[in-house]
Amino acid sequence: MVVNELLRSAPALTEKLRVWVGLPRGFHGAYKPYFELFREQVSVRLFEAEPAANDPYFVKLGLAGLVEQLAGDDPFLYLDYDHLVLGPLCMDANQADGILVSSEVKQLDQSIVPGLGDFPMPAPQAGQAHFNNSLIFTSVSRMSALVGPWRQVYHRLTGLPPEKREEIAFCLAAQAVGEPL
């Protein structure tokens, strides 16, 4: 549905568009036939994104391996599987002032901050904003600079609930590399 709506609402993108779908390796064969339906319109490729035993959100960190395969000046749009594109996308990743993320803004809870321990970057503060990142729009070069710190911070946040861990890690990593969200 996501690929179909993207093609329907932004047909000008299809010439350059490459769609990457992250799935655990064991699922590639089962899902590949579904994406064959689009082979005349767009290049759809699969990449490995492995889940963690107790954290289903870890799968998004598979993006770290993906960006290493992409050209730095290309735009980068990430959508969680539950998004639909309902209108034209009129954004330029290289002109954007920072990284565009989903609009939901939360604040770091006072109870989370003490559990972060010593931090290799500016320490997060209670009340500090963090953003939902189920949509990420930037350039590959900006994303490349962010994924290493994102993984490092994610592995340091072991005390956080899974639904908060990777998005807080993403926001803290963006702060560490100087990318505004």
Side-chain angles (χ1 to χ4, degrees), residues 85-148:
V85 178
L86 299 175
L89 295 172
C90 302
M91 302 181 284
D92 183 344
N94 293 311
Q95 298 298 319
D97 184 24
I99 298 172
L100 300 174
V101 292
S102 299
S103 60
E104 185 180 5
V105 181
K106 301 173 189 169
Q107 299 198 328
L108 285 178
D109 187 279
Q110 181 69 33
S111 65
I112 291 173
V113 175
L116 299 179
D118 59 330
F119 226 65
M121 57 193 67
Q125 304 296 313
Q128 178 178 333
H130 70 91
F131 299 87
N132 179 300
N133 63 351
S134 57
L135 177 148
I136 301 168
F137 184 68
T138 187
S139 64
V140 170
S141 60
R142 281 182 158 155
M143 194 65 186
S144 294
L146 183 66
V147 293

Side-chain angles (χ1 to χ4, degrees), residues 12-43:
L13 290 177
T14 60
E15 190 176 303
K16 301 177 194 174
L17 186 65
R18 285 178 292 157
V19 175
W20 292 83
V21 178
L23 293 167
R25 179 162 301 283
F27 290 96
H28 285 203
Y31 281 89
K32 198 169 188 169
Y34 294 107
F35 296 110
E36 288 295 315
L37 300 170
F38 299 112
R39 77 172 171 265
E40 299 297 322
Q41 298 170 288
V42 66
S43 169

